[in-house]
Amino acid sequence: MAEINTVPLIILIIYMLIVIGIGIWSRRTMKKGTAREYLTGDGKAGFWVNGFAIFAAFATGGTMLGNMGLSYAQGWGYLAAYNAGVTVGYMITTFFLAKTLRNMNVNTVPELLKVRFPGKVLNLLVPLVVMGTLTAYLVAQMKVGGILGERLLGVPYWVSLLVVGCVYIFYTFWGGMKAVTLTDFMQGLIMISVVVVAGFTAMFAIDGGPTAIYQHAQTLLPAWSAEGALPVPAYIGGFLVWATVVAVLPHTVMRVFAAKDERTGRASLTLGLGLYVITGILTTIFVVAATIVLNNGEALPDNDAAFLIFLEETMPVWFVGIAYAGIFAAVMSSVSAMLLGLAAAFAYDFIGTIKPDIEPRQQKRIIAISVLVFGAATLLLAFNPPEFLTLLYTAAMGLLASCLFWPTVLGLWWKRSNTPGALAAVIGGGFTYLFLLWGPIEQWFGYKMASLEQIIYSLPVSLICMVVVTLLTAPPTREDMRRVEVAHEREFEAISG
C-alpha cells in the first residue's frame, strides 16, 4: 500500500482544510448567539442539505468498513435484520414522531421529555443516560479514526487520532449545528458517491451482471448467504435495537429540530433512509460478493479490510484516495453530530435542569465549552481505550432504546402517560438491559445470551413499567399536556406567543 499513500494523503489534507473552512464560515454567519441557534442552526436546514446530513450522521465508520467485514465473515443475514430495523426506525420517526417533535419547538431529546414529563429526578436521569451512551459511541468511533489512518495511510495510530480529533472538535466547537450540518452534507455526498461507484463496479465485475456476481459468491462461499449463521435471538435483537433507537438517537433526532419546518424534517428523514438503504445493499451484498470472488472465497486475515481489498484490486489510485476520504468522512460526520448531542445533554439539559434561569448567551457559551471538554476527554480515552470498549459500545444503543423509546413514543401519543410512569420506564428498562448484559445469567441459568438479545426483554419491561405506574398514579395536568396537544396540530410557538 505504500505506493498509493501519497495520493490519499493529499486528498485527505484538502478535505480537512475544507471542513475547517466550513466551520469558520458557519461561525461568521451566526446572528443571535443563542443556545438554540448553536444547537439547531436556528432551524433553517433545507431538504437536500438536511437529508444528506442525516445519512452522513447515521452512516458511521462501521457502515463503511465494519458492516462489510461482518457480511464477509458471518453472512449478510444479520445485516439484513440490522438494516430492516433501521428502516422501521426511520419510518416510526418519520410518520409518528417527526411532525410533533419539530412542532414542540425544543432543541434536544432530553428537553422534549422535560417538557412532557416535568420532574427533576427524571430530567436529571435522562441526560445522564444520553451522556453515557454517546460517550461510549463516540470513543469507539474515534478509535476507528485512529485505526484508519494507521491502516490506510501508514501513519501512527496516535497521529491519525489526534488529527481527526482536533479537526472535528474545532469545526463542531466553532460552528455548532450549522457547521456540523454543512460538513455532514459534504461528507454525505462523498460517501454516497464512493458507495455508488464501488457498488456498480462490483455488480458488473464479471460477465452476467449482479445476478452472476451474487451466484458466483454463493458458490465460492455458501455460508455467506446461508441462514442460521447466528442464533435467532441475535437477529431479533439486532432488528429491535435499531427499530427503536433511531427514534431517540440525539444526533439523528436533532436533525428534525434543525429542519426549517416539520414537512422538511420528515422529508429529510426519508431521504436519509433512502441513501442508507442504497448504501447497505450495494456494500454488504454486492461489494462483499465481488470481494469473495476476488479472493476465491478464502478467509481474510482481517475481515474489516474487505472493502479496502476490493478498492485496491479494482479501482484506480485517485479513486482509492477519494474512497479513503469517504471512509474518514463517515467517521467524522458521525462523531461531530454525537459530540454536539453529548455537549447539549450536559450543558443544555443537565445543567439547565439544575439551573434553569441561565441567560441564553451564557448557556450557548457553556455548551461550546462542553464541546471542547467532552471532545478532549473522548479523544484522550481513545488514545488508550478500555478493554471493555467494544462491549460498552454494543450495549450503548440497546441501553438508550431500553430507557427512552417508550417514554418518547407514549409521551407524544398517550395522553394519560405521566412523569412517574416515564421514570419507571427509564429505570426498569435500563436496569433490565444492564442486568441481562452484565449480570450472572449464564452462571445462574446456564444460558449464554446472544448479542443484543437483552433488548428482547428490556423493551417489554420498560413498557410494562410505564403503563402500570402511570395507571397507579395521578394523570398529568392540563398544563403538562398543553404543549404536546398544540404540537400535534401546529408549531407550539405559533399560537403560544
Side-chain angles (χ1 to χ4, degrees):
M1 287 182 55
E3 69 275 10
I4 65 170
N5 280 356
T6 302
V7 173
L9 184 60
I10 293 172
I11 293 173
L12 280 169
I13 290 172
I14 295 171
Y15 164 77
M16 297 285 188
L17 291 174
I18 291 173
V19 296
I20 289 172
I22 290 173
I24 295 171
W25 178 85
S26 299
R27 177 62 167 256
R28 291 179 177 176
T29 62
M30 289 186 185
K31 305 296 183 184
K32 300 177 182 177
T34 62
R36 178 172 177 78
E37 183 181 39
Y38 191 78
L39 291 176
T40 69
D42 210 23
K44 299 290 180 62
F47 166 67
W48 290 105
V49 170
N50 210 34
F52 271 88
I54 287 171
F55 159 67
F58 196 79
T60 66
T63 304
M64 297 294 283
L65 287 183
N67 286 0
M68 282 182 266
L70 184 61
S71 174
Y72 195 105
Q74 298 185 350
W76 58 264
Y78 176 78
L79 291 167
Y82 169 104
N83 288 323
V86 171
T87 302
V88 171
Y90 268 102
M91 292 176 67
I92 291 172
T93 307
T94 301
F95 295 108
F96 295 99
L97 302 178
K99 174 183 176 181
T100 311
L101 286 172
R102 181 61 180 81
N103 286 344
M104 286 284 284
N105 221 340
V106 295
N107 300 318
T108 65
V109 173
E111 186 184 14
L112 165 71
L113 294 175
K114 180 193 292 187
V115 169
R116 177 61 178 86
F117 302 116
K120 196 162 188 177
V121 175
L122 177 65
N123 300 153
L124 289 173
L125 182 59
V126 169
L128 289 175
V129 171
V130 172
M131 289 160 59
T133 53
L134 285 191
T135 297
Y137 206 144
L138 191 54
V139 173
Q141 289 300 314
M142 285 303 301
K143 183 180 179 182
V144 171
I147 292 173
L148 284 177
E150 193 174 43
R151 177 180 292 165
L152 304 185
L153 302 174
V155 300
Y157 172 86
W158 70 269
V159 173
S160 178
L161 186 65
L162 190 62
V163 171
V164 171
C166 288
V167 170
Y168 98 88
I169 291 170
F170 170 76
Y171 74 72
T172 305
F173 160 74
W174 199 249
M177 177 58 89
K178 178 172 282 190
V180 170
T181 299
L182 291 176
T183 53
D184 282 4
F185 171 65
M186 183 190 75
Q187 290 156 350
L189 286 174
I190 296 172
M191 291 159 61
I192 197 65
S193 299
V194 168
V195 164
V196 169
V197 172
F200 276 87
T201 300
M203 289 167 67
F204 296 96
I206 63 175
D207 292 338
T211 302
I213 195 75
Y214 182 83
Q215 291 176 344
H216 195 16
Q218 279 185 308
T219 302
L220 291 171
L221 193 62
W224 176 60
S225 59
E227 298 180 0
L230 294 172
V232 172
Y235 294 98
I236 298 174
F239 172 83
L240 284 177
V241 165
W242 295 104
T244 52
V245 79
V246 170
V248 294
L249 261 181
H251 62 284
T252 299
V253 176
M254 285 172 72
R255 304 294 182 178
V256 178
F257 304 145
K260 64 182 180 181
D261 53 50
E262 58 91 4
R263 289 193 176 202
T264 302
R266 286 191 289 175
S268 300
L269 286 168
T270 304
L271 175 59
L273 171 61
L275 294 171
Y276 190 84
V277 170
I278 290 171
T279 297
I281 293 172
L282 291 179
T283 57
T284 61
I285 296 179
F286 291 108
V287 170
V288 173
T291 307
I292 292 171
V293 172
L294 288 170
N295 286 274
N296 292 316
E298 297 178 3
L300 299 177
D302 182 0
N303 290 314
D304 287 341
F307 189 38
L308 308 182
I309 292 171
F310 171 81
L311 291 172
E312 292 166 20
E313 292 288 335
T314 62
M315 295 295 183
V317 171
W318 63 266
F319 184 83
V320 173
I322 295 174
Y324 285 6
I327 297 169
F328 273 97
V331 173
M332 294 180 70
S333 60
S334 299
V335 294
S336 59
M338 290 177 207
L339 179 59
L340 193 62
L342 176 57
F346 173 73
Y348 187 80
D349 298 307
F350 188 78
I351 299 299
T353 298
I354 296 173
K355 192 177 180 182
D357 56 347
I358 302 176
E359 193 267 335
R361 287 182 178 271
Q362 181 184 5
Q363 191 174 48
K364 184 258 182 182
R365 286 194 295 272
I366 296 173
I367 296 170
I369 292 171
S370 298
V371 169
L372 285 179
V373 172
F374 282 106
T378 51
L379 182 60
L380 288 174
L381 285 173
F383 274 107
N384 186 26
E387 293 181 3
F388 57 84
L389 178 63
T390 301
L391 179 61
L392 188 61
Y393 164 60
T394 303
M397 296 301 95
L399 176 62
L400 187 64
S402 298
C403 290
L404 302 188
F405 179 74
W406 289 119
T408 301
V409 173
L410 295 183
L412 295 180
W413 288 100
W414 187 28
K415 292 183 179 181
R416 180 63 174 79
S417 61
N418 60 13
T419 301
L423 179 61
V426 172
I427 295 173
F431 176 81
T432 302
Y433 189 88
L434 291 176
F435 178 76
L436 294 176
L437 182 70
W438 288 327
I441 303 300
E442 188 173 3
Q443 294 91 319
W444 288 1
F445 303 104
Y447 176 71
K448 183 176 176 60
M449 285 196 163
S451 175
L452 298 179
E453 181 181 350
Q454 297 82 8
I455 200 167
I456 297 174
Y457 314 104
S458 60
L459 271 179
V461 168
S462 180
L463 174 61
I464 292 169
C465 287
M466 185 159 187
V467 171
V468 171
V469 174
T470 291
L471 294 177
L472 292 176
T473 52
T477 65
R478 290 182 61 84
E479 184 60 29
D480 291 341
M481 287 300 301
R482 178 171 175 263
R483 192 161 179 170
V484 178
E485 290 173 347
V486 170
H488 276 285
E489 301 297 329
R490 65 189 76 187
E491 188 171 350
F492 176 75
E493 194 174 56
I495 71 168
S496 63

